[in-house]
Amino acid sequence: MLRIVDGRNGEPVELDPGRRTPLRVLAHTGDVGGTAALRVLLVADVLARTAETYGGQALVAVVGPADPALDAAAAALGIRPREARCDTEHEVEEALAGPARVHVAPAGTDTGGPRLDVGPAHPDEVAAPGPAVRLALLRLDRRAPAELTPRAVEAAEDGLRHWRGAVARWAQSPSKAMCAEYVERLEAALRADLDTAACLAALDRLEEETALPDGSRFETFARADRVLALELTGEVGGVRS
């Protein structure tokens, strides 16, 4: 099960990841714009990827005005296209062939079901959205304000470059089973209120576990990237010993 804290009342809610019927997710972008709306879409994307990675399926719809610039920025962040865009929440049930089970929205949004709160983000527009911006946002508690300063994005770019290089080097070693301890940590972080910051912190620690076989670290990072979508294996094959 996936467990979230309902932003409406602070109570825990268990969500079936969609093994029998799809987990229907509704992302609310209508009351915000720019980077804040992009962050809502990112959280919905991670939720859907988490459900699918752990044995289920998810459908995502968006309620809010059409925004080609937002769509382009979302694609640059690796956010997959949603199943539908609705002008009102009333259209969602038809679009998703059922009611939304969970809503992803800014705190205080009036929703008809459990709500994953998403904090504000600044500046309103990011000059060059991409995987580094995705990483910078995922490093934060989803409810906390996000300040995407040029320095913060540059630090994320450096970190992403470092990880991709490490993963490419590990890929040259014989494949080994994923590290069960870290797989458990990663899964627990994602299942418990979609804690991407804890997930990334676990990967930081895993990188430092030099006693583990490189092949094991590679497989574990690759598994985590099914949810994080940071293109961590993007340089595999490009590194030579």
Side-chain angles (χ1 to χ4, degrees):
M1 299 295 287
L2 305 176
R3 296 177 180 84
I4 67 167
V5 174
D6 188 347
R8 299 174 303 167
N9 53 27
E11 295 294 325
V13 174
E14 290 193 345
L15 302 173
D16 187 293
R19 292 189 179 91
R20 296 184 179 179
T21 59
L23 177 63
R24 296 178 175 89
V25 181
L26 180 58
H28 296 251
T29 63
D31 294 333
V32 294
T35 309
L38 186 64
R39 194 179 188 191
V40 168
L41 296 180
L42 173 59
V43 173
D45 183 66
V46 173
L47 176 59
R49 289 175 183 271
T50 298
E52 294 165 0
T53 298
Y54 296 111
Q57 54 182 324
L59 299 174
V60 179
V62 176
V63 59
D67 186 341
L70 177 61
D71 292 343
L77 258 66
I79 297 170
R80 297 178 302 187
R82 61 270 187 175
E83 276 65 36
R85 187 195 65 79
C86 305
D87 291 322
T88 68
E89 194 171 333
H90 297 293
E91 300 174 14
V92 173
E93 188 165 346
E94 181 179 352
L96 297 183
R101 180 67 183 90
V102 61
H103 300 253
V104 181
T109 302
D110 184 16
T111 61
R115 186 182 72 221
L116 272 173
D117 281 349
V118 181
H122 299 96
D124 290 338
E125 293 184 11
V126 179
V133 171
R134 185 178 179 109
L135 175 58
L137 291 172
L138 294 180
R139 283 279 187 194
L140 301 171
D141 182 308
R142 59 177 168 77
R143 290 158 293 225
E147 293 289 341
L148 292 174
T149 63
R151 179 173 295 181
V153 175
E154 183 179 353
E157 287 175 344
D158 290 343
L160 196 55
R161 189 180 305 112
H162 172 77
W163 264 358
R164 287 175 176 171
V167 169
R169 290 193 300 274
W170 298 337
Q172 298 178 87
S173 299
S175 179
K176 298 289 184 181
M178 293 183 288
C179 177
E181 176 187 350
Y182 280 93
V183 168
E184 183 176 348
R185 290 187 189 183
L186 295 167
E187 182 173 342
L190 291 168
R191 286 182 180 271
D193 207 28
L194 210 67
D195 193 345
T196 57
C199 183
L200 288 163
L203 290 181
D204 288 331
R205 291 191 293 272
L206 175 57
E207 183 190 356
E208 297 171 357
E209 294 278 6
T210 55
L212 288 173
D214 286 350
S216 178
R217 289 193 285 176
F218 169 79
E219 295 293 349
T220 309
F221 265 70
R223 168 75 170 183
D225 204 39
R226 291 173 59 182
V227 172
L228 300 174
L230 295 170
E231 302 174 6
L232 296 179
T233 61
E235 294 183 7
V236 171
V239 173
R240 297 290 182 267
S241 56

